Amino acid sequence: MLVYGYLNLNLGDDLFFRTLAERYPSVDFYVFSGIDYSKVVRRPNFHTIHRNRINRIFASHLPYQFLFYGFDAIVHIGGSIFIERGESGTCTTLRNLNKLHRKFPKLPIHIIGSNYGPERTDAFRCEVERVFEFVESVTMRDSYSQGLFEGNPKVKCAADVVFGMDTSALPAPDRSGDVGVSVIDLSFRENLREHTEWYEAATASLIESSVQNGKSIKLFAFCRGEGDTTACERICARLKSDIASRVEVITYDGNIDNFLTSLRSVESLYAARFHATILGALFGIPTVPVIYSDKTQYILNDIGWKGATIDIRRADAQPQNPAPYTLDADTLQGLRLSAQKQFYSLDSTLQ
């Protein structure tokens, strides 16, 4: 199978790829990437076709049938893949799906783990609806996104893929008493840039008060390529030296297990990254979601989140000293089971 996704050493997406490979150990999955993703996913059935200069030259001259010979299906797995960008309404996902369908009209295409939006125009949704007519299946990760396409029976909903990942190989958590903070670089996002100062100042203040209460801090950067590490450095630069000495910055570098082991060890978690919230819930870590996008709020609505949240976009209306919250065991088990449904349509293709 040919796999499309976000290949930029982003922890959430890399967990998608590993979960896919683990679910189907007898299926060979291939991605085109300049990064050797076989070393990231670390499963024998996940392979990289390297996007080096030679391959790009061949790709421009050889027929697509040669390049994709032997593939039985296409899997596009990812979260925020249907975003309308710019005034022209561009969307890389739509371009790729249209291109693949034109070249291989009989090859089934499965879309797994996505949400929809934000959109700018009605025309964009109409284009997405048109694409959803020719793909084999679409499984969204929140009911709001699915509801926008309720007339199409191919569009279904299940819990986020990461809720269903296998955690049995991870060492048992040794909760250290540290406070974990998942950091995001708002300056990387045009629609959120204006909130950067407030967010980073508020995060520095959280660190200071936690250290004063005897805690050490772990700042987690889920994606270096999107500026998370740079944002951590800016936040640390705000701190006095005695406070900064109690802060450790942990950047995801492609070693999934090491990063998850560090994350799992914290006593509480302030989660700006979407999948920091998911992982906090999955690992039973008391968590405060730090919302920067409606996609997080839609998921929290679906899972019945009763704890406090912080919304970066509404700096003037935030709770004072929000208490971290943990999902109950029954809710979490239901989410684990629901996440398996992300793959039910692909299961049918493989039967």
Side-chain angles (χ1 to χ4, degrees):
M1 290 195 178
L2 178 64
V3 179
Y4 270 68
Y6 187 55
L7 299 157
N8 191 31
L9 294 182
N10 180 53
L11 178 68
D13 291 280
D14 292 357
L15 291 174
F16 284 2
F17 301 138
R18 176 178 281 191
T19 302
L20 181 68
E22 289 179 341
R23 186 177 180 89
Y24 306 104
S26 63
V27 176
D28 285 303
F29 296 96
Y30 293 83
V31 294
F32 284 93
S33 176
I35 301 169
D36 188 352
Y37 255 82
S38 60
K39 293 181 179 178
V40 175
V41 176
R42 298 187 183 186
R43 296 298 180 267
N45 60 329
F46 202 90
H47 315 282
T48 303
I49 302 172
H50 292 278
R51 276 196 185 280
N52 54 31
R53 184 170 181 270
I54 299 299
N55 278 339
R56 287 200 298 271
I57 292 172
F58 272 88
S60 65
H61 292 287
L62 293 175
Y64 277 81
Q65 285 80 358
F66 178 87
L67 288 175
F68 294 94
Y69 178 78
F71 287 115
D72 299 300
I74 298 167
V75 176
H76 199 314
I77 187 166
S80 300
I81 60 176
F82 295 108
I83 298 176
E84 185 177 15
R85 300 185 186 279
E87 296 302 322
S88 60
T90 58
C91 177
T92 302
T93 303
L94 291 183
R95 287 201 304 270
N96 287 337
L97 291 172
N98 279 310
K99 183 177 180 181
L100 289 166
H101 180 60
R102 286 195 302 271
K103 296 295 182 181
F104 311 102
K106 295 183 180 180
L107 207 60
I109 300 172
H110 295 274
I111 299 171
I112 295 173
S114 66
N115 55 266
Y116 177 81
E119 65 181 13
R120 293 172 180 265
T121 64
D122 292 338
F124 179 75
R125 192 184 305 182
C126 290
E127 175 62 12
V128 174
E129 288 173 339
R130 188 189 66 77
V131 168
F132 284 179
E133 290 297 327
F134 66 68
V135 300
E136 187 75 11
S137 70
V138 182
T139 309
M140 299 289 194
R141 65 183 177 187
D142 66 73
S143 58
Y144 173 83
S145 294
Q146 181 202 21
L148 298 174
F149 307 95
E150 60 183 357
N152 186 339
K154 295 180 183 179
V155 182
K156 297 179 172 59
C157 179
D160 186 83
V161 168
V162 171
F163 276 121
M165 77 174 188
D166 182 7
T167 60
S168 60
L170 293 174
D174 180 15
R175 295 283 155 82
S176 60
D178 293 342
V179 174
V181 183
S182 157
V183 172
I184 193 167
D185 186 0
L186 298 184
S187 69
F188 187 82
R189 292 163 167 77
E190 182 180 354
N191 62 321
L192 294 168
R193 199 168 292 149
E194 64 182 289
H195 304 296
T196 302
E197 171 63 25
W198 177 86
Y199 164 67
E200 294 185 0
T203 303
S205 178
L206 169 67
I207 292 169
E208 290 169 353
S209 62
S210 297
V211 169
Q212 289 167 1
N213 287 328
K215 304 294 184 182
S216 292
I217 309 296
K218 290 182 177 177
L219 295 185
F220 291 98
F222 276 49
C223 184
R224 182 190 294 272
E226 293 186 0
D228 291 13
T229 305
T230 302
C232 289
E233 292 169 350
R234 289 198 301 264
I235 290 167
C236 288
R238 294 172 176 267
L239 306 172
K240 295 179 180 179
S241 59
D242 59 327
I243 300 292
S245 66
R246 301 283 297 277
V247 178
E248 179 183 8
V249 176
I250 301 171
T251 296
Y252 173 61
D253 61 1
N255 191 318
I256 294 173
D257 292 332
N258 282 357
F259 192 87
L260 291 182
T261 298
S262 294
L263 183 69
R264 203 178 186 190
S265 71
V266 301
E267 179 183 75
S268 60
L269 179 63
Y270 292 81
R273 276 285 180 178
F274 177 90
H275 277 107
T277 293
I278 301 299
L279 289 167
L282 180 64
F283 291 154
I285 303 169
T287 299
V288 177
V290 181
I291 299 170
Y292 71 90
S293 167
D294 285 342
K295 68 180 181 181
T296 305
Q297 188 61 61
Y298 295 149
I299 287 284
L300 295 177
N301 293 344
D302 282 352
I303 67 180
W305 189 265
K306 297 181 176 62
T309 63
I310 297 171
D311 195 323
I312 290 170
R313 302 163 299 177
R314 301 177 179 86
D316 58 344
Q318 298 309 310
Q320 297 296 314
N321 302 315
Y325 175 74
T326 308
L327 290 178
D328 64 79
D330 289 343
T331 299
L332 185 55
Q333 179 61 15
L335 291 168
R336 288 180 177 273
L337 294 173
S338 176
Q340 305 306 318
K341 297 178 183 178
Q342 287 281 350
F343 300 99
Y344 279 6
S345 293
L346 186 55
D347 290 347
S348 299
T349 292
L350 292 171
Q351 289 176 353

